[in-house]
Amino acid sequence: MLHSNLSVNENHHLTLCGADTAELAKKYGTPLYLLDETRVREKCRTYQRAMKTYFSPEARPLYASKALSFKGIYRLAKEEGMAVDVVSPGELYIALSAGMNPADIYFHGNAKTMADIRYAMDAGIGYFVADNKTELARISDYAKEKGIMQKVLLRITPGIDPHTFDAVNTGKVDSKFGSAIATGQAEEIFNYARSQAGIELCGFHCHIGSQIFDEKPFCDAADLMLTFMVGLRDKYGYTAKVLNLGGGIGVRYVESDPYIDIDDTLRLVGAHLHKICEETGYPMPQILMEPGRSLVADAGVTLYEVQNVKTITGYKSYAAIDGGMTDNPRYALYGSKYTVLLANRADEEADFTCTVAGRCCESGDLIGENMLLPKPNAGDILAVLVTGAYNYAMASNYNCIPKLPIVMIADGKDTLAVRRETYEDMIACQL
Ligand SMILES: *Cc1c(COP(=O)(O)O)cnc(C)c1O
């Protein structure tokens, strides 16, 4: 199986974290998101252990909660001692509702409104990751009004292309995020931040992209960021306390994707960081990283019921399911690849090629093309693997389709964490 939390039981059913997925489809109905809580907790612990061991005892992973944002995941993050980053006041609201300590929350985004800034600062947020001068001026003004010093990291663009798909590539110089070292604008915004009375500048942040499968891009980013920081120390006598290296560790969606060992990757990045700090005499900053996808993606499986199978004579076959781009828009958006199987016939040979199509009135509403399955029948349960990240988080109500529930599974036991949206929920805001 693609990941070690997946297996097939004696009834030929797919299991996730030991739970029979076909039985869960019966119990909760379809379509349905499952999330292996045990897996997410293991990943949190791996990141924490590795970062504290290989970087320094102060190092900390922040869960990039845009990947999957609901109360239960913030509660889990809190229990695991994780800090989180949020990209909107909505995510902040949910994190606070789940009882997270605001001091453990970092606020990202390239277009924060004045209302966002006030809300976050009134809530006592730990850090802003500031993107631009206008934002810095707004933060400083409001901090002065409140009589506080607001902790801030600056988002810097180191100018790295980690060779991933362009739409999820943010470390290059012409990115909409942050200030580039190469153009001199990073130094400029550093000076600007230091001139703002309400701001305590704690350090720097970069995020170079997603689906990165080896340590090299992180080492390159660390090189560029530390070279920049050493330059500021030598020129202005400023030493940063914090260096945030962002997220982006890759996840295996299909058999042909590479596998990345998180512990080993962080060990290599850590060794590299210690080497640069020794060579330059720069004190090791508190290193932060922001895993999103790699914490939750392979903990997720989506279950659908097959509604019909249509073969267009001489062309191709479609298997139509009771969900689609409203619960997983990633194929429609990016052409992202997924692995599918039949949860109730999980060990049958997959010798039928088809396009898995969603139920929306939109030809592009597909889960994937040329996918291999045992020939499906109406009523079979189709499982899409590795849907824990950027599925629920990106779900919509297009065609007025209600959002799916999330069932969490811990040590084989299932608990409803998000209930299925109702038609009443959908019209709750409509006057
Ligand atoms: C999206 C994002 C992340 C998480 O990226 P993953 O690929 O999900 O690990 C981390 N930091 C920032 C700033 C992001 O925008």
Side-chain angles (χ1 to χ4, degrees):
M1 282 276 174
L2 198 61
H3 292 285
S4 60
N5 56 346
L6 299 165
S7 184
V8 180
N9 67 14
E10 62 286 356
N11 297 326
H12 317 284
H13 293 175
L14 172 71
T15 64
L16 173 69
C17 183
D20 184 317
T21 60
E23 290 301 320
L24 291 172
K26 263 190 220 152
K27 178 170 173 184
Y28 294 99
T30 58
L32 173 68
Y33 296 118
L34 302 178
L35 189 74
D36 175 352
E37 179 181 332
T38 307
R39 183 78 160 193
V40 180
R41 288 186 190 274
E42 278 167 15
K43 290 276 183 70
C44 290
R45 290 170 199 174
T46 300
Y47 268 103
Q48 281 173 326
R49 201 182 323 110
M51 289 183 68
K52 287 181 197 312
T53 309
Y54 305 128
F55 299 173
S56 80
E58 296 75 41
R60 227 182 161 187
L62 320 178
Y63 168 48
S65 66
K66 74 172 194 268
L68 175 63
S69 185
F70 67 100
K71 279 167 80 173
I73 203 85
Y74 291 109
R75 270 187 225 120
L76 184 158
K78 186 184 174 194
E79 283 166 18
E80 292 297 328
M82 299 282 290
V84 302
D85 63 50
V86 298
V87 296
S88 74
E91 287 182 358
L92 174 56
Y93 177 82
I94 303 174
L96 294 172
S97 311
M100 280 219 66
N101 179 356
D104 286 335
I105 305 179
Y106 293 66
F107 191 5
H108 276 286
N110 67 310
K112 300 178 187 82
T113 68
M114 197 61 231
D116 297 350
I117 289 168
R118 283 203 198 96
Y119 173 55
M121 231 185 279
D122 288 346
I125 197 154
Y127 291 79
F128 280 84
V129 182
D131 179 90
N132 56 75
K133 285 188 189 172
T134 310
E135 181 187 336
L136 284 167
R138 288 173 168 182
I139 294 171
S140 175
D141 285 349
Y142 194 53
K144 281 189 287 185
E145 198 180 312
K146 289 176 74 75
I148 61 166
M149 291 285 281
Q150 177 60 52
K151 287 188 177 134
V152 166
L153 304 179
L154 291 178
R155 179 149 186 171
I156 301 300
T157 320
I160 289 184
D161 182 350
H163 304 294
T164 56
F165 183 52
D166 234 23
V168 286
N169 185 346
T170 49
K172 287 197 293 182
V173 172
D174 62 354
S175 162
K176 81 165 181 175
F177 295 103
S179 308
I181 296 174
T183 60
Q185 283 159 309
E187 181 172 337
E188 204 178 302
I189 199 166
F190 159 78
N191 282 313
Y192 185 78
R194 291 233 295 166
S195 75
Q196 299 295 299
I199 284 178
E200 179 189 345
L201 181 64
C202 297
F204 303 98
H205 166 277
C206 65
H207 172 67
I208 51 176
S210 280
Q211 283 295 77
I212 298 166
F213 286 99
D214 63 84
E215 77 289 352
K216 177 95 175 25
F218 293 105
C219 291
D220 291 352
D223 274 339
L224 290 160
M225 293 297 285
L226 274 158
T227 303
F228 170 65
M229 286 153 63
V230 167
L232 298 181
R233 177 194 61 185
D234 295 349
K235 195 160 164 191
Y236 304 104
Y238 172 86
T239 304
K241 291 198 200 86
V242 180
L243 172 58
N244 184 331
L245 291 173
I249 287 192
V251 166
R252 198 155 178 254
Y253 286 95
V254 291
E255 291 286 349
S256 58
D257 280 340
Y259 172 78
I260 175 164
D261 185 288
I262 293 169
D263 182 84
D264 205 44
T265 304
L266 297 184
R267 183 176 60 78
L268 295 167
V269 175
H272 192 72
L273 280 164
H274 281 289
K275 183 167 150 268
I276 315 172
C277 285
E278 245 160 61
E279 282 168 9
T280 56
Y282 205 90
M284 175 67 95
Q286 179 192 33
I287 303 293
L288 305 176
M289 287 186 89
E290 305 172 322
R293 187 192 310 266
S294 58
L295 280 180
V296 292
D298 64 18
V301 167
T302 309
L303 300 177
Y304 304 95
E305 187 183 68
V306 175
Q307 299 308 310
N308 59 74
V309 179
K310 182 189 285 179
T311 297
I312 303 168
T313 310
Y315 293 88
K316 62 178 180 180
S317 297
Y318 286 95
I321 54 172
D322 56 356
M325 68 184 289
T326 46
D327 57 78
N328 182 358
R330 294 190 67 253
Y331 186 78
L333 272 177
Y334 314 116
S336 304
K337 289 201 168 67
Y338 280 98
T339 301
V340 292
L341 47 85
L342 295 182
N344 56 321
R345 296 160 56 195
D347 50 9
E348 285 182 33
E349 196 190 340
D351 54 3
F352 181 76
T353 304
C354 62
T355 290
V356 176
R359 66 176 303 169
C360 287
C361 286
E362 174 75 44
S363 306
D365 173 19
L366 306 174
I367 294 295
E369 293 171 275
N370 297 315
M371 303 187 105
L372 275 172
L373 285 170
K375 180 150 198 280
N377 301 309
D380 278 333
I381 302 300
L382 184 132
V384 182
L385 308 183
V386 197
T387 56
Y390 307 111
N391 274 234
Y392 177 74
M394 287 186 157
S396 77
N397 285 125
Y398 183 49
N399 287 185
C400 296
I401 294 170
K403 289 186 189 167
L404 321 192
I406 302 178
V407 168
M408 290 174 86
I409 307 168
D411 301 319
K413 278 213 225 56
D414 52 287
T415 314
L416 186 64
V418 176
R419 69 164 169 78
R420 190 179 297 282
E421 201 173 29
T422 63
Y423 298 134
E424 295 78 59
D425 291 333
M426 283 199 300
I427 60 167
C429 302
Q430 301 178 13
L431 306 176

